[in-house]
Amino acid sequence: MKKKPSHPDDQSPLLLLHGHRERTKEKILKTDLSSFDDYEILEALLMYSIPRKDVKLLAKQLLAEFYTLGNVLCAEAEQLYRFKYIKENTIVLFKLIRAAHATILRRDLINQPILGNRAKIMDYCYSTLGREKKESFHILFLDAKLHLLLDQKMGEGTINKVPLYPREIIHKALELGATSMVLIHNHPSGDARPSIQDIKTTQQLKDVAVSLSIELSDHIIISRTGATSLKMEGHLK
């Protein structure tokens, strides 16, 4: 007796899921992803950290919670663990994506004068600090050709306060042989405008640096919504 062809609805959920994943892979290989929605990109990423589960709904739930793909990838582990199926594999994947992005941007800066490409330095600052939940300071130490020698975190504090010690920064600059520096720090509140303390700290660091022939080239404040250059604002002359 001839066997009746199976209907798609008669197939096991696991088989249907496998077919969907294979079709998704094929679509990725054949396109440049510009036509993908954010949830489709996120779903594809989740496929590699969450085996044998339908993650389309999860991708949409994550975007509904965090609004953008970037926010999802930068969310805290504790926030992500609240969602069904998310375990350590997904946390590791997202952390690797963030690290890879920052590393690519940093290496782009190493091979060219930093101050000659404002767009790239802003991209790097935003990638490094834009979504941090605590305020922190980084110093970009530069050589005589304004190439990046080192990005060093010099302090981390509460949501709106972090200690900064100019003499420690200058000591590091001398150790590296740096001739100039760019100070970057984040405002987790979302307001990138400098506070009175920001301006005061900048001037203190500049005064200590100039006495040792080290230039403070700029102080950039990063937030989720924008960035401010104290040099362009006239606070660093």
Side-chain angles (χ1 to χ4, degrees):
M1 183 175 179
K2 193 173 182 180
K3 188 176 180 181
K4 182 180 178 182
S6 62
H7 187 275
D9 292 340
D10 297 329
Q11 297 180 37
S12 72
L14 192 58
L15 186 60
L16 290 171
L17 177 61
H18 177 73
H20 172 66
R21 292 193 170 205
E22 288 301 313
R23 289 190 296 274
T24 300
K25 289 179 188 178
E26 186 176 349
K27 185 177 180 182
I28 291 171
L29 290 171
K30 290 183 177 180
T31 68
D32 62 1
L33 304 189
S34 61
S35 63
F36 272 43
D37 291 326
D38 280 4
Y39 88 85
E40 291 178 292
I41 294 174
L42 183 54
E43 180 191 2
L45 290 172
L46 292 169
M47 282 168 40
Y48 288 93
S49 63
I50 304 174
R52 298 183 296 280
K53 300 293 182 183
D54 185 349
V55 292
K56 180 184 289 188
L57 178 59
L58 173 59
K60 292 183 176 181
Q61 289 172 336
L62 287 167
L63 287 168
E65 176 73 16
F66 298 107
Y67 304 111
T68 70
L69 179 59
N71 287 344
V72 174
L73 295 175
C74 293
E76 298 290 338
E78 292 74 16
Q79 296 174 298
L80 294 170
Y81 278 136
R82 293 190 285 106
F83 290 84
K84 187 177 181 181
Y85 302 142
I86 289 186
K87 295 185 172 59
E88 284 185 350
N89 283 352
T90 300
I91 305 302
V92 169
L93 176 64
F94 288 1
K95 192 170 183 178
L96 284 171
I97 291 170
R98 296 196 304 270
H101 184 221
T103 298
I104 291 167
L105 292 174
R106 181 168 60 251
R107 288 182 178 171
D108 281 349
L109 290 176
I110 288 173
N111 298 318
Q112 61 184 293
I114 280 186
L115 302 179
N117 195 323
R118 180 174 172 78
K120 280 195 174 183
I121 191 172
M122 286 301 180
D123 285 345
Y124 176 68
C125 292
Y126 185 74
S127 172
T128 304
L129 290 173
R131 292 184 175 89
E132 290 292 316
K133 303 299 188 295
K134 292 182 179 180
E135 188 169 358
S136 62
F137 279 98
H138 283 228
I139 301 290
L140 306 183
F141 295 100
L142 313 179
D143 65 16
K145 294 182 178 179
L146 301 180
H147 291 175
L148 180 64
L149 291 170
L150 180 69
D151 171 3
Q152 177 77 51
K153 179 186 281 190
M154 300 300 295
E156 183 178 83
T158 62
I159 194 168
N160 59 7
K161 186 177 181 181
V162 56
L164 188 68
Y165 304 104
R167 294 193 183 279
E168 289 185 10
I169 295 170
I170 298 304
H171 176 76
K172 189 67 179 180
L174 292 172
E175 178 184 305
L176 292 168
T179 58
S180 60
M181 307 177 296
V182 176
L183 170 62
I184 60 173
H185 90 277
N186 63 312
H187 280 181
S189 66
D191 185 353
R193 291 175 298 179
S195 66
I196 293 174
Q197 185 59 47
D198 291 332
I199 296 170
K200 182 179 178 181
T201 298
T202 303
Q203 191 59 52
Q204 288 174 341
L205 180 56
K206 179 186 175 184
D207 290 344
V208 177
V210 75
S211 67
L212 294 167
S213 301
I214 299 171
E215 181 183 2
L216 180 59
S217 298
D218 204 350
H219 178 177
I220 299 170
I221 300 173
I222 297 291
S223 77
R224 295 187 304 275
T225 57
T228 299
S229 162
L230 268 68
K231 183 172 186 177
M232 293 186 69
E233 292 288 319
H235 298 300
L236 187 60
K237 298 179 181 178

